[in-house]
Amino acid sequence: MISDEIDQARLLEELERLEREILGRCGKGTDDSLSRGLLLARVIPGMTEDEWYEGTGAAAFENSWMAFPLNGNKVEALAKLNEKLEKLAHAGDRDYLSGLYNRRFFLRVLKREMTKAEKYCMPLALAIADIDDFKEINDTCGHVAGDKIVKHVADVFNSGIRAGDYAARIGGDEFALILPAAGAAESGTVVKRFLERVRDIDKQIGEDCRLLRCTLSLGVAVYTGFPLMTPEQLIACADKELYAVKRNGKDGFRVTPVDDADAAESVVRNDEKHFLARG
Amino acid sequence: MGKSNRTFSLSVLSGKGGVGKTSLAVNLAFGLHDMNINTLLVDCDLGLANLDVMLGVSPGKNIHDVLKHGLSLEETVCKLEKRGLDLIPSASGVVGVPELDEGRRLFIIEKLNNFLSDYRFLIMDLGAGIGPTVLSFARMTHRRVVVVTPEPTSLTDAYALIKVLFMKHGVADFDVLVNMARSEEEAVAGYERIRAACDKFLGLPVRYLGHVRRDDMVSKSVSRQKALVRFAPRSPAAEDITRIVERLSEMRANARDDIAGVSPLSPDGVG
C-alpha cells in the first residue's frame, strides 16, 4: 500500500499536521502536557466514510487497531505504521486490479448475509457473473487488454452498486453480487441494469484492438433460508443458472429462487416422510 | 400499549396450495361475524391474493397502496358487511412483491396493531408454503390454524411448515384443521399422522381444531362469489365450519387474560 516512491518527508509533514490537529481538538497545545499521550487509530480497508457512519460491518473488523505515539519519534513510528499498513494491505478486503471486494471478503459477507436471511426471514440474492468470451479477448488482444476489460466491467459494478449491496471479483473474469433483502423480481431488475451498462462500455481496448462486443452472463440464486445451505451450495445454485445462460447464447441472466417445493422436500427427512405416509 | 388488548389474532396457513385455505379463512370470518364478533380479515397472500375475487368485491385500494403510496389502512378497508366484518385486500398478480422485506413487514405490523382495537378477531390469510413472508407473519399471531387435506402430500407439507416454525422460530402452538375430508374417520386418521409425527420427531404436541367435510357446495359458493356459510348455510361443510367457529370463539374467551398484555401481532414472534 505504501511503496518506496512515496515521499517520506511529505508523509512526516502530514503526520505532524495530523498530530497538531488531534491535539488541537482535545484542547491541548503541542506543549509537553501531552508528552505521554497516545493516539489510537484504526485502519479499515475498503470502507468508505458513509459506510462507517451507517455502522455497517464495524463489528467485522478486528486486529486492525494501531497505536501511534503523539509525541514520539516520527521516523520510528512511521516505520511501524508502514509495516502495519503493508500487513493490512496484504490481508485487505479489496481486489487490487478491480477495486472490488476480493473473494475472501465475499465469502465472509455471503456467510454473514445468509445467516441474516435465515434469522430474519429475508430473501438474499446472489449473482455470479462472467465476461462472455473472455478467453478469446485475452488470446486475440493480449492480457493487458483483458485486464482493461475486467477493470471496465468492475467500474460498472462499482459505480452502479446500491448502498448495502456488495460487488466482488471472485476469479479472473468472474464477479459476484450480494444483494441482501432482494427477491427474484428485485434482483432481476438490478442485474438487468448492469448487463445493459456493460454492453455500453468502451470497446476500444488497445490501439489496434477493438472488441465487437463486451457482454456478461449472469446467474442469480435467491436464498430464503430454506433449505439451509452453505455458501458453497448457494454459489453452485447461481453457477448452474450462469451455465444455463452460457448455453443459451450468453449476454443475459437467469434467476432461480430456492423454492418452496425444494425446501419442503429437504426440510422433511425420509424417515419422517415414510412415517407420515404410512401412519 | 396503554390499554389492554382484546383482539385475538389467528393466522391461517397451509403447507401447500389447493387445500381450501382461503375459502376457509373467508368462512371462518363470516362465521365469527354471525356470532356478533367484530372481525378483520387480512389477505397476506401478496403474490396470489384472491380473497377479493372469492368474495366478488372489487376493492379500490389494497395493501400495496399502504406500502407504496403511504395510504392509511382505513383507506384500504373493504366492508364485507354493514358492520363488524372488514377486509384488507392485497393486489393480485402484482409482480415483484411476493416477499416483503423486514422493514416493510414491521411497517405493516405497526399499522395493523394501531388499527385493530375495534376488532375482536383478526384472521390473516397467508400464502401457502414456507416462504419468508409466511413464516414471519405466522409467528406473530396468537394462534395458527394449519389447514391440511387427508392426502399424504398435504400432510407432509404441513408437517414441513410446522417443523420449520417450531425448530427455527420457536413457535410451538398449532391447531390442525382437516379440510375436504370424506368422513370424520378419514379426517381424524389424517390428523393422527401429523400428531404422531410431531410427537415422535419434534416432541411437539399439536391440537385438533376439527374437520370440514368435502362438499360440492364449496366450489359452487366460490363460483357464485359468496361465502359458503351464506350461500348454503345448511350444507355439511357449512355445518362443520360453524362448529369450528364456535371453538375459535371459545379459544378467544379462554385466552382473554393471556392476550390482554400483548399486541395482536408481536413483531418478535410468539416463540
Side-chain angles (χ1 to χ4, degrees):
Chain A
M1 189 177 272
I2 294 182
S3 56
D4 293 339
E5 67 249 26
I6 289 185
D7 188 345
Q8 287 229 343
R10 272 187 50 210
L11 193 55
L12 274 176
E13 203 181 290
E14 185 61 26
L15 284 170
E16 259 159 12
R17 195 196 57 75
L18 191 65
E19 183 179 352
R20 279 197 304 277
E21 169 80 24
I22 288 162
L23 289 171
R25 280 196 195 184
C26 56
K28 310 272 187 186
T30 43
D31 57 15
D32 58 1
S33 63
L34 256 185
S35 61
R36 292 176 64 81
L38 189 70
L39 163 69
L40 287 174
R42 189 177 180 184
V43 173
I44 302 179
M47 179 171 274
T48 66
E49 207 178 359
D50 286 348
E51 286 170 334
W52 175 251
Y53 284 118
E54 279 165 21
T56 53
F61 297 90
E62 267 108 25
N63 197 24
S64 52
W65 286 97
M66 63 175 74
F68 186 74
L70 280 176
N71 262 3
N73 179 343
K74 292 292 171 300
V75 178
E76 194 185 314
L78 185 63
K80 276 189 187 159
L81 181 64
N82 210 344
E83 193 185 325
K84 185 88 187 185
L85 286 173
E86 292 284 5
K87 262 191 205 154
L88 285 172
H90 186 68
D93 297 326
R94 292 280 173 175
D95 167 56
Y96 71 99
L97 173 66
S98 64
L100 299 173
Y101 290 114
N102 60 24
R103 187 181 176 91
R104 204 165 31 105
F105 182 83
F106 157 74
L107 287 172
R108 205 164 71 208
V109 170
L110 182 61
K111 196 163 181 215
R112 193 179 68 205
E113 292 301 329
M114 285 175 76
T115 309
K116 274 200 214 162
E118 289 153 16
K119 191 171 166 198
Y120 300 114
C121 297
M122 284 194 311
L124 166 72
L126 168 70
I128 305 283
D130 185 297
I131 301 174
D132 293 328
D133 306 316
F134 186 67
K135 191 174 174 304
E136 259 178 66
I137 298 174
N138 268 333
D139 289 349
T140 52
C141 303
H143 288 274
V144 176
D147 279 359
K148 211 165 182 177
I149 284 298
V150 168
K151 185 84 180 63
H152 279 330
V153 172
D155 288 346
V156 169
F157 284 129
N158 240 338
S159 60
I161 195 87
R162 305 175 306 175
D165 293 348
Y166 302 86
R169 180 180 176 223
I170 57 171
D173 64 325
E174 212 181 350
F175 301 87
L177 301 172
I178 299 175
L179 313 174
E186 187 182 330
S187 55
T189 314
V190 172
V191 301
K192 193 159 171 269
R193 204 174 55 225
F194 282 126
L195 282 186
E196 284 160 4
R197 288 190 192 167
V198 165
R199 269 180 225 133
D200 291 341
I201 64 179
D202 185 10
K203 290 169 194 67
Q204 193 71 44
I205 51 172
E207 273 179 24
D208 49 0
C209 195
R210 184 178 169 79
L211 296 180
L212 288 174
R213 57 173 219 167
C214 175
T215 53
L216 283 184
S217 294
L218 247 149
V220 185
V222 178
Y223 183 58
T224 50
F226 287 97
L228 282 175
M229 277 187 169
T230 62
E232 290 73 23
Q233 285 171 315
L234 186 61
I235 293 170
C237 280
D239 268 341
K240 212 172 121 195
E241 296 307 301
L242 169 63
Y243 297 139
V245 174
K246 291 274 183 200
R247 277 198 306 275
N248 284 317
K250 307 167 185 172
D251 188 17
F253 71 96
R254 276 171 63 119
V255 182
T256 181
V258 178
D259 65 17
D260 287 344
D262 293 349
E265 219 27 49
S266 66
V267 164
V268 182
R269 294 191 314 264
N270 272 338
D271 56 331
E272 293 171 318
K273 203 180 287 176
H274 289 146
F275 184 82
L276 280 158
R278 283 196 304 262
Chain B
M1 281 254 309
K3 57 188 177 184
S4 75
N5 172 51
R6 296 173 66 193
T7 313
F8 187 66
S9 62
L10 196 75
S11 43
V12 183
L13 317 158
S14 69
K16 73 185 201 72
V19 299
K21 169 182 59 65
T22 297
S23 159
L24 273 172
V26 166
N27 280 292
L28 294 178
F30 272 88
L32 286 164
H33 175 260
D34 289 347
M35 292 181 76
N36 288 319
I37 299 173
N38 277 11
T39 300
L40 177 69
L41 184 58
V42 180
D43 191 348
C44 294
D45 193 348
L46 297 168
L48 295 162
N50 51 20
L51 261 175
D52 47 340
V53 179
M54 197 163 271
L55 291 166
V57 294
S58 40
K61 302 279 184 266
N62 59 56
I63 222 161
H64 296 288
D65 296 301
V66 178
L67 284 170
K68 280 206 150 172
H69 310 299
L71 253 64
S72 67
L73 284 176
E74 284 86 345
E75 290 171 278
T76 67
V77 161
C78 178
K79 290 207 167 302
L80 299 179
E81 293 285 335
K82 276 205 187 76
R83 285 171 60 96
L85 183 58
D86 295 337
L87 165 72
I88 295 183
S90 182
S92 193
V94 172
V95 179
V97 281
E99 298 294 353
L100 293 179
D101 61 42
E102 188 75 0
R104 285 176 176 155
R105 268 193 309 255
L106 290 177
F107 179 76
I108 292 219
I109 297 312
E110 197 189 312
K111 288 217 164 201
L112 274 172
N113 273 333
N114 291 331
F115 174 73
L116 283 168
S117 57
D118 287 344
Y119 301 98
R120 294 295 163 263
F121 234 102
L122 165 69
I123 295 184
M124 314 249 296
D125 178 27
L126 303 189
I130 49 180
T133 303
V134 169
L135 291 178
S136 65
F137 277 131
R139 65 192 170 133
M140 290 183 196
T141 51
H142 295 140
R143 295 286 171 83
R144 279 141 294 278
V145 173
V146 179
V147 180
V148 301
T149 67
E151 271 92 56
T153 49
S154 165
L155 297 178
T156 307
D157 291 343
Y159 173 75
L161 176 67
I162 292 173
K163 182 175 174 181
V164 168
L165 276 166
F166 176 60
M167 306 267 281
K168 290 286 288 183
H169 301 286
V171 178
D173 197 296
F174 298 95
D175 292 278
V176 177
L177 195 170
V178 184
N179 197 19
M180 303 179 186
R182 281 180 199 84
S183 64
E184 184 169 0
E185 290 70 39
E186 190 193 41
V188 171
Y191 162 73
E192 179 53 26
R193 287 188 183 182
I194 286 212
R195 189 209 58 77
C198 289
D199 179 55
K200 182 179 162 84
F201 298 110
L202 307 176
L204 173 73
V206 297
R207 282 183 302 258
Y208 182 56
L209 181 63
H211 71 278
V212 176
R213 279 167 287 174
R214 183 179 283 280
D215 187 337
D216 289 344
M217 293 313 266
V218 175
S219 59
K220 280 190 185 131
S221 73
V222 171
S223 59
R224 295 283 286 273
Q225 296 185 308
K226 284 218 158 65
L228 175 77
V229 292
R230 291 293 153 79
F231 178 70
R234 304 256 166 123
S235 63
E239 280 175 8
D240 294 338
I241 287 167
T242 305
R243 207 172 314 120
I244 287 166
V245 167
E246 279 161 11
R247 271 182 215 150
L248 290 179
S249 167
E250 276 168 35
M251 203 188 265
R252 175 179 173 269
N254 293 336
R256 194 168 291 178
D257 292 341
D258 296 336
I259 65 168
V262 288
S263 306
L265 297 167
S266 103
D268 302 326
V270 290

